[in-house]
Amino acid sequence: MKRHAPATARNSRPIANVLQQELPEKGLILEVASGTGEHVVFFARLFPALNWQPSDHDLGALSSITEYVSDAMVSNIHRPIALDAASPDWPMAQCDAVLCINMVHISPWDATIGLFRGAASILPDSSPLIIYGPFIEENVETADSNVAFHRSLVARNGEWGLRNLPKVDALAEQHGFTRIKKCPMPANNLMLIYRKKS
């Protein structure tokens, strides 16, 4: 059954504008936590020279992704795979970029640890790990809407919540990544571009 995320329509184009600068010209892109499947269809149409591998750990999400991909009738999206970011064993051996949208704040911290660990194991040197979502920055006032969002997430699940950006950067360094860019995005979100060190 198809799911719909209202934010997708608002953020797909701004995200794609950043991806256009950071993704390779060709290769396989793994999307971790693809959710509804709306993003991967949008990007596959926009970047037809790239192959896209959607994934999620939720069976309902995998069903939704499958329906969107089937209806889109595009040839550059692989069948979605079950992938739990926190797991030490990812069902892929290699890809050319990893994209993760709106997962870090709506999952336990172990999932973010697993994201960097897993990406490090399958990405070639200098390849990008691209993360989108809201974060708490050091010496930058957090928007009231993000403060309220953080509180609502923690109320729903004590392991969720907006992450401290310096803590995420430190985790990246531990797994061989360096953040090379931070792009402000609509609705007080950020695109974080990490690249695997050579």
Side-chain angles (χ1 to χ4, degrees):
M1 182 176 181
K2 277 186 177 179
R3 296 177 176 179
H4 172 61
T8 306
R10 299 192 300 269
N11 65 28
S12 291
R13 175 57 67 172
I15 291 174
N17 290 341
V18 176
L19 294 181
Q20 192 166 25
Q21 304 170 35
E22 304 299 335
L23 292 178
E25 291 184 4
K26 59 183 180 178
L28 177 62
I29 314 303
L30 169 64
E31 184 185 25
V32 176
S34 297
T36 65
E38 293 166 282
H39 274 135
V40 75
V41 168
F42 183 91
F43 301 143
R45 286 173 170 157
L46 200 60
F47 303 106
L50 293 168
N51 289 303
W52 295 82
Q53 177 61 72
S55 72
D56 210 284
H57 79 287
D58 179 75
L59 292 178
L62 291 172
S63 176
S64 178
I65 297 163
T66 299
E67 289 201 37
Y68 274 106
V69 171
S70 177
D71 289 351
M73 293 186 293
V74 289
S75 61
N76 60 329
I77 306 179
H78 295 284
R79 185 179 182 87
I81 57 174
L83 188 156
D84 179 358
S87 172
D89 299 310
W90 281 19
M92 285 188 68
Q94 188 172 344
C95 66
D96 299 288
V98 174
L99 173 64
C100 184
I101 298 172
N102 284 334
M103 181 202 82
V104 170
H105 57 289
I106 313 179
S107 60
W109 179 243
D110 280 352
T112 302
I113 295 172
L115 175 64
F116 282 100
R117 180 182 60 229
S121 71
I122 65 174
L123 284 174
D125 291 348
S126 303
S127 298
L129 165 57
I130 303 170
I131 301 175
Y132 172 94
F135 293 87
I136 297 172
E137 300 182 74
E138 197 169 34
N139 301 319
V140 175
E141 185 176 358
T142 303
D144 289 344
S145 59
N146 276 358
V147 172
F149 186 36
H150 173 74
R151 288 173 178 163
S152 71
L153 289 172
V154 173
R156 287 166 60 190
N157 186 319
E159 293 189 282
W160 294 3
L162 275 63
R163 307 304 179 187
N164 181 281
L165 184 52
K167 185 178 179 182
V168 177
D169 287 345
L171 178 64
E173 290 287 338
Q174 291 171 22
H175 289 88
F177 288 91
T178 297
R179 177 162 59 83
I180 62 163
K181 193 179 292 185
K182 177 185 72 176
C183 304
M185 303 295 285
N188 301 306
N189 289 293
L190 296 174
M191 284 276 278
L192 306 176
I193 315 300
Y194 295 92
R195 287 199 178 263
K196 188 177 176 182
K197 298 176 186 177
S198 301

